[in-house]
Amino acid sequence: MPSRQSIRGITLLESLVAILVVALGVFSVLGIQLRTLSDAQAGIRRSQAIRLIEDLSERINTNPAASQYLKIYTADSPAEAANDCTTPCTSEELARLDIHQWHQQMQHAFGSGRAIVFQSTADADSTNPMQLGVLVAWKENQREGSNAAETEALNAFLKISATETSNKACPEQYVCHLQYISIPRHCAVVGEEGRTSCI
């Protein structure tokens, strides 16, 4: 017959095993919840990127001569707009204001993230509509700061991707979203023959 001490030892061991099993279960549930939260945040970030790209598309579509000022929209570092367009402004001034405000919204929404706008390599003389590509990249974990090397790698990736968008992997710890928006052509009737010219 086992002694009281051995019974107590077995009971203590069983208790420890039970505590270990419960702890593993709790940590597993916490891990699943953290992963779910991370996936939800990634979905929110991607939705923000899509919404802001749609905002840029709307801004471009409301500018009747946007196709003439694609270099303004695709500038690496858009300069601050001189005219805030509270009074009537030209299409060029509107383009400068729109892209400056859009990059400010991007910086506010994504913090250490970056965005680049570039012209599609599609043939401008083809029947295909002109397009601008918009590539947005942001850190998976916004709580982590960006060091100089990471920022340099991200900027290099964005510049390469602006010209070679195929088969490019997003930098480590970053999430990227690429989307194309159509640019309406500015058309006018010219000449006595009534031909339509689009630029």
Side-chain angles (χ1 to χ4, degrees), residues 139-155:
K139 278 187 84 78
E140 259 184 308
N141 188 349
Q142 287 293 320
R143 289 171 294 183
E144 296 177 4
S146 295
N147 57 41
E150 285 181 0
T151 302
E152 186 178 343
L154 177 59
N155 289 336

Side-chain angles (χ1 to χ4, degrees), residues 39-76:
D39 290 344
Q41 287 177 339
I44 291 169
R45 291 286 180 190
R46 193 170 295 277
S47 296
Q48 284 180 314
I50 292 170
R51 181 178 54 80
L52 285 168
I53 293 170
E54 288 173 351
D55 174 63
L56 178 61
S57 177
E58 289 172 7
R59 287 173 182 268
I60 291 172
N61 285 326
T62 57
N63 188 339
S67 61
Q68 298 178 44
Y69 302 107
L70 295 184
K71 287 185 179 179
I72 292 174
Y73 291 108
T74 58
D76 286 342

Side-chain angles (χ1 to χ4, degrees), residues 63-65 69 72 83 85 87-97:
N63 188 339
Y69 302 107
I72 292 174
N83 189 345
C85 291
T87 58
C89 58
T90 65
S91 293
E92 181 179 359
E93 290 172 332
L94 181 60
R96 290 187 189 282
L97 178 66

